[in-house]
């Protein structure tokens, strides 16, 4: 059996930013007996309208080719060897007018053999070519030039120009931004977009969740409202468009609506007041920076929040989110709404035994999801009757449960509720109705509840007292954090106290803000900072609210952050959802990371014991957010599905950012590997997390060094720090820069001064791997006679092992007693003793070093 893998991938559009186009064809064999292939060709129109075959050259075997240093054949079912054919074409050798071409691959055995085709004509690969652009800081005039071909008049026959004014230009080290002011009333088209190669639109799946949609040239987002539009322009520049509303202390939802022929409108969804809609535009040579430029511009343009709950910098400087320090457990998929005190305590006890039996450390916190409250019924129409727990399910209230879980080693317990209290609001006949003023509203049909109904909600005047009473009682019960769900549900309300529509919309918007203010202030007062998990909250309203809050947070503030659910729910029983869930989280990080002064991204829980659990466990570990699980005790006995290393602690880090080459395609449908990067500034390392989210095995040549350089450049502010005085640097002997690359799945290590441009990576379906890239530090002896190149990989049992490092490799001096700086002594040639030191997080007892004397081969020591 032979498997054939082609790059650039067939059936997809790939952008090449130079200086060359690399074609790779891999034949994976189930035996060592290679089939003779006398000719392998790229069949293409790259040289003109006439299609022709361009031959590829056979490479050396997998054992000898540098490109195959990290090619794991075990990922390719029953494969024992791989034969590679290559073709590299310099972009400079092609006509300057060539912007796009197509190709497929064919091969034959013998000069007279029949050609075999990898795919049909309709499945050709498409390639867009981009010429080099200035890499240094570009002037505003350069960015202004990008507007003219991009933003065209909505009517092609109209010579009057687009329906907006572009002003307030700002340039930064990474790009530029401006504001578009519509000239019409808001219902007229803003402009028509042109000169687009690819797009990534973030659309509102419903009121609660934002999902990515991608394509080429012609925008196709259906009837969905667009919150953010990221464009790859024909010039090679990236542009991000994000609408927002101005004019009041409360910013209401604004979206883009796509009409035929790439025509766009910017509208205020709420239509509450005569607000001015603006569109922030960000430009950069990096797509992530373009989004950041746009969202930062919105943040600067919004009125500064003055609410006391937003003054985050007043909190004690602590870890960004304590729930990310240790693993947790959520009751949902283990119980759904049938959770009780007895069943929960019994389950946690059983899981603890299962963990102990298979060598896994227990989780440290528990979230009691839906099913604990006093409601009239547990469904989408259920209403909250009282703030206390259901006495039949929790006879000792939550205090008894918290104390019982504490005896089992659980350090923190949190509970779930909706922003309204429960899905259907407040019961107008229950005890709460006599304590707080309620307002009758009408809820329209929504995809969550799937029905319309009247709901009674706490009024704006009473909601502060309600949340203060509610969270005060929870705190007395021992609860220390809350998951607040259904947050964007206010958008499903279409009437308020039978008022006219305009008055209703204004009152609903004010009540929405009042509920947020009351909830956040009460949580801060009774639980402390970082005690909220925001869920079903991906609305423009909350995004704008958060951007306003970030104006009050200093750049170096170390206040504890809340958690922000980054995608729709995890559905363990829906087979098709697993790859999409991971892809959606990776794609949404493009915009959600811009809220990082307030939020830590949460990828939701996952359930062990299943075939898909491995990739979910790996994805949570590389997410930079919390790692928590769900399910029954039997699930936790299958250790191989969630083995995440020997430590219960989780070290937070920057979230992974999708590599540019994978950003503008739904990678669940492309037969290629998705690459994402995680920057770890403490030791100038980059962890490349790779995923195969498609349904078939994949082999993809990744430009690891280019990906590494782009990640370092993107985080240049984090890396830009003066060298420590104790870090000697070689300027003569051993001045070569060595890069250490470590692959987790195979424990392979490569250290070279000049690494290949491409590395072939193979992954089976629904799998993940990480490659850690660390710049080795040259350390000199005091007499300048020898140099040791050293790097610390951190704890290699972790997916992002370098996060344990707090200070990079330094010093050749003896270690100071009593410090948290492990020292590795290495004898070179029996003559010298090197003392290599790093500072690591508390509790870390396993480290791996890469050491390379100036004239020796590299070694890895643990």
């Amino acid at each position: 059996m032979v498997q054939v893998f082609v790059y650039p991938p067939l059936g997809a559009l790939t952008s090449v930013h130079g200086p060359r186009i690399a074609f790779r064809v891999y034949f994976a064999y189930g035996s060592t007996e290679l089939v003779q292939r006398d000719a392998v060709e790229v069949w293409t129109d790259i040289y003109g309208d006439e299609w022709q075959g361009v031959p590829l050259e056979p490479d050396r075997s997998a054992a000898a080719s540098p490109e195959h240093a990290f090619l794991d054949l075990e990922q390719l079912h029953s494969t024992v060897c791989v034969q590679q054919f290559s073709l590299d074409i310099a972009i400079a050798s092609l006509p300057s007018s060539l912007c796009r071409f197509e190709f497929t691959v064919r091969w034959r055995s013998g000069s007279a053999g029949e050609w075999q085709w990898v795919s049909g004509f309709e499945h050709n690969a498409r390639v867009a070519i981009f010429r080099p652009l200035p890499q240094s800081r570009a002037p505003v005039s350069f960015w202004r030039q990008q507007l003219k071909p991009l933003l065209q008049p909505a009517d092609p026959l109209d010579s009057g120009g687009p329906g907006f004014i572009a002003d307030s230009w700002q340039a930064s080290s990474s790009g530029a931004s401006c504001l578009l002011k519509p000239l019409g009333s808001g219902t007229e088209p803003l402009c028509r977009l042109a000169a687009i190669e690819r797009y990534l639109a973030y659309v509102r799946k419903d009121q609660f969740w934002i999902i990515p949609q991608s394509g080429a040239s012609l925008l196709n987002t259906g009837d969905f409202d667009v919150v953010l539009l990221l464009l790859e322009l024909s010039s090679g520049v990236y542009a991000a468009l994000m609408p927002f509303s101005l004019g009041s202390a409360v910013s209401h939802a604004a979206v883009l609506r796509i009409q035929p022929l790439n025509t766009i409108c910017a509208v205020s969804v709420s239509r509450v007041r005569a607000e001015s809609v603006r569109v922030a535009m960000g430009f950069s040579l990096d797509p992530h920076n373009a989004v950041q430029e746009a969202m930062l511009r919105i943040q600067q343009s919004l009125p500064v929040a003055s609410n006391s709950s937003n003054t985050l910098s007043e909190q004690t400087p602590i870890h960004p989110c304590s729930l990310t320090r240790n693993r947790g457990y959520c009751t949902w998929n283990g119980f759904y709404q049938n959770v009780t005190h007895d069943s929960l305590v019994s389950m946690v006890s059983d899981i603890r035994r299962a963990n102990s039996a298979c060598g896994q450390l227990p989780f440290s916190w528990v979230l009691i999801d839906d099913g604990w409250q006093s409601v009239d019924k547990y469904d989408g129409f259920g209403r909250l009757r009282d703030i206390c727990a259901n006495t039949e399910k929790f006879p000792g209230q939550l205090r008894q449960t918290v104390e019982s879980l504490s005896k089992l080693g659980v350090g923190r317990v949190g509970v779930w509720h909706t922003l309204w209290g429960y899905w259907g609001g407040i019961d107008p006949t229950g005890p709460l109705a006599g304590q707080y003023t309620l307002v009758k509203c009408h809820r329209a049909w929504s995809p969550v509840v799937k029905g319309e109904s009247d709901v009674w909600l706490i009024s704006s005047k009473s909601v502060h007292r309600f949340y203060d009473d509610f969270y005060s009682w929870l705190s007395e019960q021992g609860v220390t954090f809350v998951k607040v769900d259904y947050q964007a549900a206010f958008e499903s309300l279409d009437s308020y106290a039978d008022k006219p529509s305009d008055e209703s919309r204004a009152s609903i918007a004010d009540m929405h803000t009042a509920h947020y203010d009351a909830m956040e202030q009460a949580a801060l007062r009774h639980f402390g900072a970082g005690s909220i998990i925001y869920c079903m909250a991906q609305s423009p309203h909350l995004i704008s609210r958060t951007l306003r809050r970030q104006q009050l947070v200093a750049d170096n503030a170390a206040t504890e952050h809340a958690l922000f659910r980054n995608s729709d729910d995890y559905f363990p029983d829906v087979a098709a959802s697993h790859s999409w869930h991971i892809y959606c989280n990776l794609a949404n990080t493009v915009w959600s990371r811009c809220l990082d002064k307030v939020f830590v991204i949460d990828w939701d829980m996952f359930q062990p014991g299943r075939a898909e659990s491995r990739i979910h466990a790996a994805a949570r570990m590389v997410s930079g957010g919390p790692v928590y699980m769900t399910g029954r005790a039997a699930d936790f006995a299958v250790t191989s599905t969630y083995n995440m290393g020997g430590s219960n602690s989780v070290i937070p880090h920057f979230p992974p950012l999708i590599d540019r080459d994978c950003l503008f395609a739904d990678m669940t449908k492309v037969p290629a590997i998705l690459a994402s990067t995680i920057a770890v500034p403490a030791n100038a390392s980059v962890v490349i997390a790779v995923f195969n989210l498609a349904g078939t095995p994949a082999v993809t040549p990744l430009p690891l060094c280019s990906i590494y350089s782009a990640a370092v450049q993107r985080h240049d502010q984090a890396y830009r720090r003066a060298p420590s005085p104790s870090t000697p640097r070689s300027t003569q002997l051993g001045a070569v820069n060595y890069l250490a690359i470590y692959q987790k799945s195979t424990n392979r290590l490569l250290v070279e001064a000049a690494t290949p441009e491409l590395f072939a990576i193979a992954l089976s379906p629904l799998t993940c791997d990480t490659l850690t890239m660390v710049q080795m530090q040259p350390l000199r002896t005091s007499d300048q006679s020898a140099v040791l190149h050293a790097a610390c990989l951190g704890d290699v049992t972790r997916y992002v092992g370098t996060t344990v490092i707090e200070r990079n490799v330094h010093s050749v001096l003896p270690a100071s007693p009593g410090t948290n700086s492990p020292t590795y002594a290495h004898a070179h040639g029996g003559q010298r003793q090197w003392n290599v030191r790093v500072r690591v997080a508390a509790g870390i007892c396993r480290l791996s070093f890469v050491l390379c004397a100036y004239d020796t081969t590299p070694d890895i020591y643990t």
Side-chain angles (χ1 to χ4, degrees), residues 95-169:
S96 58
S97 59
L98 179 66
C99 297
R100 277 198 186 195
F101 69 91
E102 296 186 24
F103 78 90
T104 187
V105 171
R106 65 179 186 174
W107 75 88
R108 67 181 177 185
S109 299
S111 58
E114 184 178 349
W115 287 105
Q116 305 291 318
W117 298 85
V118 174
S119 66
F121 175 77
E122 70 283 353
H123 206 60
N124 286 347
R126 294 165 294 147
V127 178
I129 300 175
F130 296 95
R131 268 69 183 184
L133 288 169
Q135 296 299 314
S136 59
R137 177 168 177 165
V140 171
S141 59
F142 171 80
W143 303 111
R144 283 179 179 270
Q145 292 171 7
Q146 310 304 316
L147 275 186
K148 187 173 182 179
L150 172 61
L151 306 181
Q152 298 291 311
D155 184 353
L157 301 178
D158 184 4
S159 59
F164 64 87
I165 296 175
D167 58 10
S168 304
W169 282 89

Side-chain angles (χ1 to χ4, degrees), residues 21 101 154 197 204 379 520 545 569 571 605 706 765 861:
I21 306 167
F101 69 91
E197 287 295 335
R204 303 195 71 185
D379 62 21
E520 291 168 348
R545 178 183 177 88
D569 293 353
F571 299 106
M605 58 199 164
S706 297
Y861 300 91

Side-chain angles (χ1 to χ4, degrees), residues 552-623:
L552 301 175
V553 183
D555 288 335
N556 59 350
T559 54
E560 183 146 350
H561 293 20
L563 295 181
F564 177 75
R565 274 283 305 281
N566 198 43
S567 77
D568 200 348
D569 293 353
Y570 160 76
F571 299 106
D573 299 320
V574 181
S577 71
H578 296 287
S579 58
W580 172 256
H581 182 84
I582 294 171
Y583 167 69
C584 190
N585 271 291
L586 284 165
N588 277 353
T589 301
V590 172
W591 61 268
S592 60
R593 77 180 183 106
C594 298
L595 309 178
D596 61 353
K597 286 187 179 182
V598 173
F599 292 134
V600 170
I601 294 171
D602 174 9
W603 284 27
D604 202 9
M605 58 199 164
F606 74 96
Q607 184 172 335
R610 312 171 71 94
E612 305 86 0
S613 301
R614 293 173 184 268
I615 190 171
H616 281 292
R620 300 314 187 274
M621 292 297 289
V622 304
S623 72

Side-chain angles (χ1 to χ4, degrees), residues 67 324 424 666 695 711:
E67 284 193 18
T324 64
D666 180 350

Side-chain angles (χ1 to χ4, degrees), residues 466-477 522 526-527:
F466 164 76
Y467 265 107
D468 189 61
D469 294 343
F470 186 18
Y471 285 2
S472 174
W473 180 83
L474 288 176
S475 179
E476 292 170 358
Q477 297 291 305
H526 297 290
F527 307 134

